[in-house]
Amino acid sequence: MTYTRARDAAIEAVTSWPSHGRCAPKSTLPIRQLFGSNVFTDDVMRARLPEHIYKAIRETINKGAPLDPSIADVVAAAMKEWALERGATHYTHWFQPMTGLTAEKHDSFLAPTNGGGAVADFSGKELIKGEPDASSFPSGGIRATFEARGYTAWDPTSPAFILENPNGTTLCIPTAFCSWTGEALDKKTPLLRSMEVLSKHAVRILRLFGSTANQVYTTAGPEQEYFLIDKVFYFNRPDLINAGRTLFGAKPPKGQELEDHYFGAIPERVLACMHETETELYKLGVPVKTRHNEVSPAQYEIAPIFENANVATDHNMLVMETMKRVADRYGLQLLLHEKPFAGVNGSGKHVNWSMADDHGNNLLKPGDTPHDNAQFLLFLVAVIKAVAKHADLLRVAVAHAGNDHRLGANEAPPAIVSIFLGDMLQDIVEQIEAGGAKSAMAGGELKIGVTVLPTLPRDPGDRNRTSPFAFTGNKFEFRAVGSAQSIAGPIVVLNTIVAEIVDEFATQLEQAVATKKDLNTEIQKLLQAAVKESKSVLFNGDNYSEAWQIEAERRGLPNRRTTIDSLPDLVSPKAVALFTKYGVLSERELHSRYEIFLESYHKTINIESQLTIQIAQRMILPAALRHQAQVAEAIANLKATGATVPKTQSALLNELVGAIENLQSATDQLTEAVEEPPRGDSLDLAKHSRDVIIPAMSAVRAAGDQLETLVADDLWPLPTYQEMLFIK
Ligand code: ADP
Ligand code: MG
């Protein structure tokens, strides 16, 4: 088969996609019945567990009370029965190792009996603890392979669920994953620790305001962007298969400039796929709510209703996995990479974040009364101060190779972390700094709010899409998060840095109360000082502009352009002091993560560079040489007839010869850079990737893309941008 026919066949397959019958929704159950039908929910527990057991497990879920093993046995038995009724044959501890993906090892419920038979068995011990061989997961040096044991520990705060497969179902139990010495090897452990510590200190503030709340949860709602392209194109692109992004591809005549895709009508096959994805997610209790076209052609977004951040994190992993699985049924391929296509927008994940108490009050919701407003302002200013102090850590939380294509590239926020408050709130904060100029004392009580916060609308209409961290009415939206990454890391950082400042505020105010000082005056002083100290992080202007880069530098804000500039901040003395003080990550855990991230960066670039070489040599070069031969032959034929060969034709041949030479010499240079890595540690290797290999890869791509504009279309081996993005 010639290349021509391979690409033609791909297009043929795409355009004749059999929509009939396959696009029918799999389930006709109303959402109310469907939602959570595969989840071991609170309702299920209440219905199936004896009351005292149910109460005990609620204590554990709500307050982290230790779980009695005898109780675990009863819960396990109920869970097993429930799962068997749903056809489960296996169970698995479902966890999130440092690969950034989820992991599962399935065990059958079967246990042999003395009589040679087998019964379904599942004990409390098996529910609470698993022992997967952990040697092949990244540990950043925490655990040598000879001490391979790690263990998974049940997280009762995230409900167990059933994963369906045409040939059976599996009970999945969300778990944390640790080394035998108790060190975190996963994303969930620090997340749970950070939620606990923020809760502890936020409750102290609430107490000062007379609240009886016992717990504060962080809430999260991640808006997930993604691409869907036809699977046949995908299979013809080794770069998409192995790197998740295109390493070659000339810009098509039409990209996103007409702005005709955003919020446009969703193509039928894609919509059918979305329906089925949502049905599957409803069964898993994932409250997905919004869907729409995004800015780039073939780009879309799915967003849930926010939840407790731990559950939201698990659910976002399920969203990514379910989308991928269901897309397959529709002949579509999900692309979660931050930048699958050059020249059009990449994908991010806006993480909406707030805090709520166990009475359901959102702590970042401006209040109606002066009392509420003072509390709101304390939490708001705590976040501002936290971000100002630890902007570098928020940057680290979104630093990885894929996101480097996005941050600072005029489509996503820049690498400089700043906060957008909107005009009204900015004005209020400035008043606070000026000493509460417009606030008034009435009857001895400082009416912080009545005049300071007169009519703060719930949803301030102004939006600044260019800001990496924006206050959007009753929550913050962290926009720099990458589309493929787990949201756990960014939330861990947010929780911990905010916990530190909330702790500081609480200590100061508790002392004031203890020494019989006036609380309101103390709050006013505290807010004023905090705003003064932190205001340089506030910026309402255009974050994409050149002027902001200069202004940010003048303000002394960190600007870590690449992953490698950013990662060392994870192990700075400041970071170590913060994370160890609050017990979120030990110094060893921080260093292990730092090593894992560096290594992952280096490995990613290494894979991309080898793919670049392979595609250049084995796909692009042969096509270009064929084309060169055809042009040369045409010229020779012309000469043979005795006709003069026009200058334009020999010029064409020369251009082609030159472009091929460029491709080959750029490929040679890249090969050399790949084959001779520097001696040194993982930081040296990662720097070599950034400073030598990435530029060398770009040069090969430029030469390849140049050839794409010269070589006959029917000889070109790779599906083009135009085909992948527009043929649906
Ligand atoms: P947009 O940002 O496009 O205006 P929405 O206001 O609908 O969209 O919210 C976007 C996301 O923010 C949704 O996932 C929503 O559930 C989430 N969200 C809303 N309130 C909160 C909150 N208090 N905490 C965390 N996430 C929230
Ligand atoms: Mg949003």
Tab-separated table of all heavy atoms in Angstrom, residues 660-703:
chain	number	residue	atom	x	y	z
A	660	ILE	N	15.599	19.478	2.282
A	660	ILE	CA	15.946	18.117	2.726
A	660	ILE	C	17.267	18.141	3.481
A	660	ILE	O	17.428	17.485	4.514
A	660	ILE	CB	16.003	17.153	1.515
A	660	ILE	CG1	14.591	16.957	0.962
A	660	ILE	CG2	16.624	15.812	1.916
A	660	ILE	CD1	14.511	16.167	-0.330
A	661	GLU	N	18.175	18.937	2.982
A	661	GLU	CA	19.462	19.057	3.662
A	661	GLU	C	19.266	19.620	5.069
A	661	GLU	O	19.852	19.132	6.037
A	661	GLU	CB	20.379	19.967	2.843
A	661	GLU	CG	21.824	19.839	3.244
A	661	GLU	CD	22.717	20.810	2.472
A	661	GLU	OE1	22.326	21.232	1.362
A	661	GLU	OE2	23.786	21.152	3.004
A	662	ASN	N	18.403	20.631	5.180
A	662	ASN	CA	18.104	21.198	6.511
A	662	ASN	C	17.564	20.135	7.449
A	662	ASN	O	17.955	20.051	8.607
A	662	ASN	CB	17.038	22.293	6.405
A	662	ASN	CG	17.623	23.582	5.860
A	662	ASN	OD1	18.846	23.739	5.829
A	662	ASN	ND2	16.755	24.474	5.413
A	663	LEU	N	16.641	19.341	6.920
A	663	LEU	CA	16.034	18.312	7.761
A	663	LEU	C	17.103	17.341	8.255
A	663	LEU	O	17.166	17.004	9.434
A	663	LEU	CB	14.957	17.550	6.991
A	663	LEU	CG	14.268	16.440	7.804
A	663	LEU	CD1	13.237	17.040	8.762
A	663	LEU	CD2	13.583	15.416	6.893
A	664	GLN	N	17.953	16.933	7.324
A	664	GLN	CA	18.963	15.944	7.713
A	664	GLN	C	19.980	16.508	8.687
A	664	GLN	O	20.347	15.847	9.656
A	664	GLN	CB	19.662	15.396	6.467
A	664	GLN	CG	18.761	14.428	5.722
A	664	GLN	CD	19.512	13.686	4.642
A	664	GLN	OE1	19.899	14.287	3.633
A	664	GLN	NE2	19.729	12.395	4.850
A	665	SER	N	20.411	17.745	8.452
A	665	SER	CA	21.440	18.259	9.368
A	665	SER	C	20.833	18.557	10.740
A	665	SER	O	21.458	18.311	11.772
A	665	SER	CB	22.172	19.470	8.779
A	665	SER	OG	21.298	20.559	8.710
A	666	ALA	N	19.574	19.036	10.749
A	666	ALA	CA	18.930	19.271	12.052
A	666	ALA	C	18.739	17.944	12.790
A	666	ALA	O	18.934	17.862	14.011
A	666	ALA	CB	17.580	19.964	11.851
A	667	THR	N	18.380	16.902	12.044
A	667	THR	CA	18.189	15.593	12.674
A	667	THR	C	19.511	15.069	13.230
A	667	THR	O	19.557	14.511	14.334
A	667	THR	CB	17.596	14.583	11.667
A	667	THR	OG1	16.466	15.175	11.047
A	667	THR	CG2	17.160	13.300	12.360
A	668	ASP	N	20.579	15.276	12.451
A	668	ASP	CA	21.900	14.847	12.940
A	668	ASP	C	22.251	15.548	14.246
A	668	ASP	O	22.759	14.929	15.182
A	668	ASP	CB	22.989	15.149	11.901
A	668	ASP	CG	22.888	14.201	10.712
A	668	ASP	OD1	22.154	13.197	10.834
A	668	ASP	OD2	23.512	14.478	9.663
A	669	GLN	N	21.976	16.842	14.276
A	669	GLN	CA	22.307	17.595	15.499
A	669	GLN	C	21.503	17.108	16.697
A	669	GLN	O	22.022	16.988	17.801
A	669	GLN	CB	22.039	19.081	15.284
A	669	GLN	CG	23.268	19.785	14.733
A	669	GLN	CD	23.032	21.270	14.559
A	669	GLN	OE1	22.262	21.865	15.297
A	669	GLN	NE2	23.692	21.862	13.586
A	670	LEU	N	20.236	16.831	16.450
A	670	LEU	CA	19.397	16.342	17.538
A	670	LEU	C	19.903	14.976	18.013
A	670	LEU	O	20.016	14.720	19.219
A	670	LEU	CB	17.933	16.250	17.074
A	670	LEU	CG	16.947	15.660	18.091
A	670	LEU	CD1	16.923	16.461	19.383
A	670	LEU	CD2	15.524	15.606	17.493
A	671	THR	N	20.238	14.129	17.058
A	671	THR	CA	20.737	12.790	17.409
A	671	THR	C	21.973	12.900	18.301
A	671	THR	O	22.082	12.218	19.319
A	671	THR	CB	21.091	12.001	16.129
A	671	THR	OG1	19.970	12.050	15.263
A	671	THR	CG2	21.421	10.553	16.453
A	672	GLU	N	22.843	13.798	17.909
A	672	GLU	CA	24.059	14.006	18.700
A	672	GLU	C	23.717	14.463	20.122
A	672	GLU	O	24.256	13.955	21.102
A	672	GLU	CB	24.890	15.089	18.012
A	672	GLU	CG	26.368	14.999	18.247
A	672	GLU	CD	27.077	16.028	17.363
A	672	GLU	OE1	26.973	15.910	16.109
A	672	GLU	OE2	27.657	16.968	17.919
A	673	ALA	N	22.795	15.421	20.210
A	673	ALA	CA	22.419	15.946	21.536
A	673	ALA	C	21.804	14.855	22.404
A	673	ALA	O	22.008	14.809	23.611
A	673	ALA	CB	21.437	17.103	21.373
A	674	VAL	N	21.037	13.964	21.774
A	674	VAL	CA	20.384	12.903	22.526
A	674	VAL	C	21.396	11.851	22.958
A	674	VAL	O	21.341	11.332	24.066
A	674	VAL	CB	19.267	12.240	21.674
A	674	VAL	CG1	18.714	11.004	22.367
A	674	VAL	CG2	18.149	13.237	21.404
A	675	GLU	N	22.345	11.579	22.058
A	675	GLU	CA	23.285	10.491	22.349
A	675	GLU	C	24.386	10.891	23.318
A	675	GLU	O	25.080	10.036	23.849
A	675	GLU	CB	23.890	9.962	21.048
A	675	GLU	CG	22.912	9.031	20.346
A	675	GLU	CD	23.367	8.627	18.958
A	675	GLU	OE1	24.460	9.056	18.532
A	675	GLU	OE2	22.605	7.892	18.293
A	676	GLU	N	24.572	12.190	23.495
A	676	GLU	CA	25.623	12.601	24.412
A	676	GLU	C	25.086	13.445	25.550
A	676	GLU	O	25.358	14.643	25.644
A	676	GLU	CB	26.700	13.393	23.645
A	676	GLU	CG	27.586	12.486	22.829
A	676	GLU	CD	28.353	13.260	21.770
A	676	GLU	OE1	28.610	14.464	21.983
A	676	GLU	OE2	28.668	12.661	20.733
A	677	PRO	N	24.333	12.832	26.438
A	677	PRO	CA	23.840	13.600	27.582
A	677	PRO	C	25.006	13.927	28.508
A	677	PRO	O	26.000	13.203	28.526
A	677	PRO	CB	22.865	12.633	28.258
A	677	PRO	CG	23.313	11.280	27.847
A	677	PRO	CD	23.964	11.419	26.519
A	678	PRO	N	24.896	15.027	29.224
A	678	PRO	CA	25.994	15.415	30.107
A	678	PRO	C	26.062	14.473	31.307
A	678	PRO	O	25.073	13.848	31.670
A	678	PRO	CB	25.576	16.813	30.565
A	678	PRO	CG	24.088	16.799	30.497
A	678	PRO	CD	23.731	15.898	29.351
A	679	ARG	N	27.238	14.377	31.880
A	679	ARG	CA	27.335	13.680	33.162
A	679	ARG	C	26.757	14.605	34.220
A	679	ARG	O	26.904	15.813	34.122
A	679	ARG	CB	28.807	13.443	33.511
A	679	ARG	CG	29.412	12.264	32.826
A	679	ARG	CD	30.913	12.239	33.108
A	679	ARG	NE	31.632	11.668	31.980
A	679	ARG	CZ	31.656	10.359	31.711
A	679	ARG	NH1	31.033	9.509	32.485
A	679	ARG	NH2	32.304	9.894	30.662
A	680	GLY	N	26.170	14.033	35.224
A	680	GLY	CA	25.666	14.892	36.295
A	680	GLY	C	24.405	14.332	36.901
A	680	GLY	O	24.005	13.211	36.596
A	681	ASP	N	23.764	15.128	37.732
A	681	ASP	CA	22.559	14.651	38.407
A	681	ASP	C	21.329	14.905	37.545
A	681	ASP	O	21.435	15.370	36.405
A	681	ASP	CB	22.432	15.295	39.792
A	681	ASP	CG	22.359	16.808	39.706
A	681	ASP	OD1	22.185	17.336	38.583
A	681	ASP	OD2	22.473	17.469	40.754
A	682	SER	N	20.164	14.619	38.113
A	682	SER	CA	18.950	14.739	37.306
A	682	SER	C	18.669	16.186	36.903
A	682	SER	O	18.071	16.431	35.859
A	682	SER	CB	17.758	14.137	38.052
A	682	SER	OG	17.837	14.403	39.420
A	683	LEU	N	19.132	17.146	37.713
A	683	LEU	CA	18.929	18.544	37.317
A	683	LEU	C	19.767	18.876	36.079
A	683	LEU	O	19.294	19.563	35.168
A	683	LEU	CB	19.277	19.493	38.478
A	683	LEU	CG	19.043	20.976	38.207
A	683	LEU	CD1	17.575	21.269	37.903
A	683	LEU	CD2	19.494	21.845	39.389
A	684	ASP	N	20.996	18.355	36.023
A	684	ASP	CA	21.833	18.593	34.848
A	684	ASP	C	21.203	17.996	33.593
A	684	ASP	O	21.196	18.611	32.525
A	684	ASP	CB	23.232	17.991	35.051
A	684	ASP	CG	23.973	18.672	36.194
A	684	ASP	OD1	23.921	19.912	36.266
A	684	ASP	OD2	24.574	17.963	37.026
A	685	LEU	N	20.675	16.787	33.755
A	685	LEU	CA	20.030	16.131	32.617
A	685	LEU	C	18.816	16.923	32.151
A	685	LEU	O	18.599	17.126	30.956
A	685	LEU	CB	19.585	14.719	33.009
A	685	LEU	CG	20.656	13.636	33.007
A	685	LEU	CD1	20.086	12.339	33.548
A	685	LEU	CD2	21.195	13.428	31.595
A	686	ALA	N	18.033	17.379	33.129
A	686	ALA	CA	16.822	18.127	32.780
A	686	ALA	C	17.194	19.447	32.096
A	686	ALA	O	16.550	19.872	31.135
A	686	ALA	CB	15.989	18.379	34.025
A	687	LYS	N	18.256	20.077	32.575
A	687	LYS	CA	18.690	21.335	31.948
A	687	LYS	C	19.171	21.096	30.523
A	687	LYS	O	18.917	21.909	29.631
A	687	LYS	CB	19.817	21.972	32.774
A	687	LYS	CG	19.295	22.713	33.982
A	687	LYS	CD	20.415	23.472	34.664
A	687	LYS	CE	19.850	24.350	35.779
A	687	LYS	NZ	20.856	24.668	36.795
A	688	HIS	N	19.868	19.989	30.327
A	688	HIS	CA	20.310	19.628	28.977
A	688	HIS	C	19.089	19.447	28.073
A	688	HIS	O	19.071	19.903	26.928
A	688	HIS	CB	21.138	18.337	29.058
A	688	HIS	CG	21.587	17.813	27.730
A	688	HIS	ND1	22.583	18.404	26.982
A	688	HIS	CD2	21.169	16.736	27.007
A	688	HIS	CE1	22.760	17.718	25.865
A	688	HIS	NE2	21.918	16.707	25.852
A	689	SER	N	18.065	18.816	28.594
A	689	SER	CA	16.832	18.641	27.814
A	689	SER	C	16.265	19.995	27.411
A	689	SER	O	15.887	20.215	26.265
A	689	SER	CB	15.773	17.903	28.635
A	689	SER	OG	16.187	16.601	28.905
A	690	ARG	N	16.199	20.893	28.384
A	690	ARG	CA	15.588	22.191	28.104
A	690	ARG	C	16.446	23.041	27.163
A	690	ARG	O	15.943	23.630	26.209
A	690	ARG	CB	15.372	22.948	29.414
A	690	ARG	CG	14.736	24.320	29.210
A	690	ARG	CD	14.816	25.166	30.463
A	690	ARG	NE	16.194	25.441	30.854
A	690	ARG	CZ	16.542	26.050	31.972
A	690	ARG	NH1	15.618	26.432	32.820
A	690	ARG	NH2	17.814	26.274	32.254
A	691	ASP	N	17.753	23.079	27.442
A	691	ASP	CA	18.605	24.052	26.744
A	691	ASP	C	19.172	23.537	25.427
A	691	ASP	O	19.482	24.326	24.537
A	691	ASP	CB	19.767	24.474	27.653
A	691	ASP	CG	19.255	25.134	28.932
A	691	ASP	OD1	18.146	25.707	28.884
A	691	ASP	OD2	19.948	25.054	29.966
A	692	VAL	N	19.331	22.232	25.299
A	692	VAL	CA	19.943	21.698	24.081
A	692	VAL	C	18.938	20.891	23.256
A	692	VAL	O	18.773	21.119	22.059
A	692	VAL	CB	21.175	20.824	24.436
A	692	VAL	CG1	21.830	20.302	23.168
A	692	VAL	CG2	22.170	21.628	25.281
A	693	ILE	N	18.248	19.960	23.919
A	693	ILE	CA	17.406	19.047	23.135
A	693	ILE	C	16.148	19.729	22.592
A	693	ILE	O	15.808	19.571	21.424
A	693	ILE	CB	17.047	17.800	23.972
A	693	ILE	CG1	18.363	17.092	24.311
A	693	ILE	CG2	16.102	16.885	23.211
A	693	ILE	CD1	18.237	15.727	24.848
A	694	ILE	N	15.492	20.518	23.429
A	694	ILE	CA	14.258	21.159	22.937
A	694	ILE	C	14.539	22.083	21.744
A	694	ILE	O	13.843	21.989	20.724
A	694	ILE	CB	13.504	21.876	24.082
A	694	ILE	CG1	12.916	20.816	25.029
A	694	ILE	CG2	12.391	22.770	23.537
A	694	ILE	CD1	12.146	21.371	26.209
A	695	PRO	N	15.555	22.952	21.804
A	695	PRO	CA	15.843	23.760	20.609
A	695	PRO	C	16.203	22.897	19.396
A	695	PRO	O	15.794	23.206	18.265
A	695	PRO	CB	17.044	24.619	21.032
A	695	PRO	CG	17.026	24.628	22.522
A	695	PRO	CD	16.414	23.341	22.955
A	696	ALA	N	16.939	21.809	19.626
A	696	ALA	CA	17.302	20.938	18.492
A	696	ALA	C	16.060	20.282	17.898
A	696	ALA	O	15.934	20.132	16.675
A	696	ALA	CB	18.306	19.884	18.946
A	697	MET	N	15.095	19.913	18.768
A	697	MET	CA	13.843	19.341	18.278
A	697	MET	C	13.052	20.358	17.463
A	697	MET	O	12.463	20.036	16.433
A	697	MET	CB	12.980	18.894	19.463
A	697	MET	CG	13.070	17.424	19.736
A	697	MET	SD	12.279	16.866	21.252
A	697	MET	CE	11.037	17.966	21.661
A	698	SER	N	13.059	21.594	17.943
A	698	SER	CA	12.328	22.647	17.222
A	698	SER	C	12.904	22.842	15.830
A	698	SER	O	12.163	23.100	14.881
A	698	SER	CB	12.416	23.984	17.969
A	698	SER	OG	11.900	23.839	19.249
A	699	ALA	N	14.232	22.728	15.718
A	699	ALA	CA	14.862	22.915	14.407
A	699	ALA	C	14.437	21.799	13.450
A	699	ALA	O	14.147	22.051	12.276
A	699	ALA	CB	16.379	22.947	14.554
A	700	VAL	N	14.365	20.562	13.956
A	700	VAL	CA	13.932	19.452	13.093
A	700	VAL	C	12.484	19.673	12.675
A	700	VAL	O	12.100	19.496	11.520
A	700	VAL	CB	14.071	18.091	13.812
A	700	VAL	CG1	13.616	16.955	12.906
A	700	VAL	CG2	15.509	17.860	14.257
A	701	ARG	N	11.677	20.107	13.634
A	701	ARG	CA	10.276	20.342	13.306
A	701	ARG	C	10.131	21.424	12.233
A	701	ARG	O	9.350	21.260	11.290
A	701	ARG	CB	9.496	20.765	14.552
A	701	ARG	CG	8.065	21.073	14.170
A	701	ARG	CD	7.171	21.477	15.305
A	701	ARG	NE	5.809	21.579	14.742
A	701	ARG	CZ	4.711	21.266	15.371
A	701	ARG	NH1	4.762	20.852	16.604
A	701	ARG	NH2	3.531	21.367	14.777
A	702	ALA	N	10.899	22.512	12.401
A	702	ALA	CA	10.801	23.604	11.424
A	702	ALA	C	11.127	23.084	10.027
A	702	ALA	O	10.423	23.386	9.056
A	702	ALA	CB	11.733	24.743	11.825
A	703	ALA	N	12.171	22.265	9.939
A	703	ALA	CA	12.556	21.723	8.626
A	703	ALA	C	11.474	20.780	8.100
A	703	ALA	O	11.127	20.805	6.908
A	703	ALA	CB	13.893	21.001	8.738
